[in-house]
Amino acid sequence: MTPGSVEPHSENRLYVLVTGANSGLGFATCCRLVDEFLETRPLSQSLTLIFTTRDSKKSQDTISRLRLHLHKRAQRLKALSDTRITFQPEQLDLTSLRSVQELSKKLLSALPSLDATILNAGYGGFTGLNWPVAIWTILTGFPHSVTWPTYKLSGVGYVTKPQHGSTASDSNEPPLAKVFCSNVFGHYLLCHNLVPLLSRPRHTSPNRGRIIWISSLEAYASSFSLTDLQGLHSPAAYESSKRLTDILALTASLPSTKPWTDSFLSTPPSAENAKKPKIYVTHPGICATAIIALPLLLQWAMTLAFYFARLVGSPWHTVSAYKGACAPVWVALASQSQLDSMEEEGGAGKWGSGVDQMGEERVMRTEVEGWGYGGRVGDVGGRGRKGRRRDVRDLTGREREAFEDDGRAAWREMEGLRMEWEGRLRWAG
């Protein structure tokens, strides 16, 4: 296949989009998608994996490594042919709304449908570590301190380049926070644009299109404020963006957010029998990736600390990105009936990649401040459960109400921001 082309539609072909696929969790997610698809789906089915990187050089490097991975995997599985998998590289810069719009238009014209988007790409904005705090908390609070760290240092006030290609002062353009745009808003705009593909019905499948956000264990409630939705003035912009991700995803199906989620998930009047996509949130546990630049020796020390945390009982230290990809890949490939029944039983949840002491992967519900495990007051399933933050208590009615209020306000603000920027982009041509 040539770059930018996608083969014709087939009822037996699955289409999945993964952003930020050139390294770390994104690349591992692509590899795991390939592996689990080949192992679990019938020979009659095939997969088109559309992945994004920031430039063509990274795309070519990524597709070469993915093809090598596929070739090795297909050899081991013998009877399963690597011809069932098609890779489609695309370029995307989530801090450029022009880039988001261009990719959206391209995919809308090239794809017959889209089964899932895995929103992995992101930017940390970290500048280093507060070493005195890091050393003290690791010595006195291990493994909690390497699961929910409070010693990362972040830049404050980082903004994207002007979206109109000039200076913000010339265009009267309001600033867009870089971490917010990369982690949340760029993906938000992309998914809204792709709703027609995600909503397109399949006659042979009851599944619905899936918008799969990748969040973090570090989505602290204390890091987020509705008065600074973009985290522009926050000393913890990354954590703020992940808290916003949790709030948006977990409240997406509530009646109180419906006016704005209906707008976000709207399809053209010409779309027949459209099935509204479902929104999910996942996280990879704790992976030893390079989201913070560290000298090689310290990188090794961090990895060893993560393995030791797993050995002493932490269920969240997946360490490898491949194990961290367990939850998002599971949500992408699970049957709709399985996902629906689990949410009916336990409520909408944040699905995390977990491991046992031997490193065997599993998908686990994750407690969220103000939401609990499924947004249900009185659910005491967390008591005695591994993987709880030590300062988190069982969900109360007041906390649940405040979380829903935040969700309603966040959806309203995000839809307002989307419409504002769409208008600005149209005005600028």
Side-chain angles (χ1 to χ4, degrees), residues 159-285:
V159 296
T160 66
K161 294 178 180 178
Q163 300 297 321
H164 295 143
S166 60
T167 64
S169 58
D170 288 342
S171 61
N172 294 318
E173 180 182 299
L176 264 180
K178 187 174 182 180
V179 176
F180 165 78
C181 196
S182 181
N183 296 358
V184 184
F185 191 57
H187 281 135
Y188 186 92
L189 190 59
L190 176 69
C191 288
H192 171 74
N193 293 339
L194 298 181
V195 164
L197 294 177
L198 288 159
S199 302
R200 200 157 291 167
R202 286 177 176 267
H203 301 297
T204 59
S205 173
N207 288 354
R208 296 163 68 179
R210 297 169 191 177
I211 296 171
I212 304 168
W213 290 92
I214 294 187
S215 182
S216 169
L217 281 171
E218 299 170 43
Y220 309 135
S222 60
S223 69
F224 176 75
S225 171
L226 284 168
T227 61
D228 185 21
L229 187 80
Q230 299 188 34
L232 186 60
H233 308 292
S234 172
Y238 175 83
E239 293 86 347
S240 173
S241 73
K242 295 306 180 181
R243 175 65 175 181
L244 176 58
T245 297
D246 286 1
I247 290 171
L248 291 171
L250 293 171
T251 62
S253 60
L254 298 180
S256 60
T257 63
K258 193 174 186 298
W260 300 282
T261 56
D262 280 353
S263 173
F264 173 66
L265 298 173
S266 61
T267 55
S270 58
E272 296 183 0
N273 302 317
K275 295 193 294 186
K276 186 181 294 185
K278 291 272 290 182
I279 299 175
Y280 300 94
V281 62
T282 67
H283 72 83

Side-chain angles (χ1 to χ4, degrees), residues 277-315:
K278 291 272 290 182
I279 299 175
Y280 300 94
V281 62
T282 67
H283 72 83
I286 307 294
C287 301
T289 59
I291 193 168
I292 295 182
L294 293 173
L296 184 60
L297 186 61
L298 290 178
Q299 186 76 23
W300 289 346
M302 178 189 72
T303 302
L304 285 174
F306 288 176
Y307 276 115
F308 186 61
R310 179 201 292 177
L311 187 63
V312 298
S314 169

